[in-house]
Amino acid sequence: MKNLFDHAATTDGVTVRVTVNFLPEQSDPANGKWFWIYHIRIENASRERVQLMTRHWRITDAQGTVRHVDGEGVVGEQPVLTPGRSHDYVSGCPLTTPFGSMEGFYTFHREDGSPIEVRIPFFPLAAPATAH
């Protein structure tokens, strides 16, 4: 199963795995719109329960424009992961260029309320070449 995910980062026993796919049916290159979906799996191999509280994304397009996206939880949830458990979700990212990248971090709270910043690995967004 881990082979399905191209990118991974581990912080204090919490692993974030990512795989990304370009969606041509959601894209319109002639009008400067490219769209990707990414699947995230968060695995808790630590010895304590953690809860995902917030997310921070750094999204960079091919022109070097950086967008920061912050918010509570992921796709409307603030999942609790007990030791040995994982959480999966899928989301999407539009760009106005045919390639770019994403990276960031999640802030989790441990059982004692202390925060832990868990890295989301860098992953590229790249549309396949198209003939015009």
Side-chain angles (χ1 to χ4, degrees):
M1 187 62 104
K2 292 176 183 172
N3 294 340
L4 296 176
F5 296 91
D6 304 315
H7 312 279
T10 302
T11 309
D12 290 348
V14 179
T15 300
V16 178
R17 300 184 189 281
V18 183
T19 191
V20 62
N21 290 292
F22 177 68
L23 284 188
E25 63 275 14
Q26 296 288 324
S27 301
D28 186 1
N31 289 307
K33 180 183 174 194
W34 289 265
F35 192 82
W36 292 264
I37 59 164
Y38 52 90
H39 177 175
I40 304 267
R41 170 167 293 154
I42 304 164
E43 302 169 346
N44 183 9
S46 77
R47 294 183 176 179
E48 59 187 323
R49 179 182 65 83
V50 295
Q51 182 173 14
L52 192 157
M53 303 306 290
T54 63
R55 68 185 182 282
H56 173 81
W57 285 104
R58 176 186 165 97
I59 304 166
T60 306
D61 71 14
Q63 297 171 335
T65 302
V66 176
R67 223 177 6 144
H68 293 274
V69 178
D70 294 284
E72 291 189 4
V74 290
V75 292
E77 297 181 296
Q78 290 181 311
V80 173
L81 283 80
T82 54
R85 303 294 296 182
S86 64
H87 179 77
D88 287 72
Y89 74 94
V90 175
S91 192
C93 179
L95 288 182
T96 58
T97 60
F99 60 93
S101 65
M102 293 179 69
E103 63 187 318
F105 62 86
Y106 299 118
T107 300
F108 282 81
H109 284 176
R110 295 180 176 102
E111 290 181 72
D112 67 5
S114 64
I116 173 177
E117 196 172 279
V118 174
R119 189 168 76 85
I120 302 168
F122 171 94
F123 58 96
L125 303 171
T130 55
H132 293 288

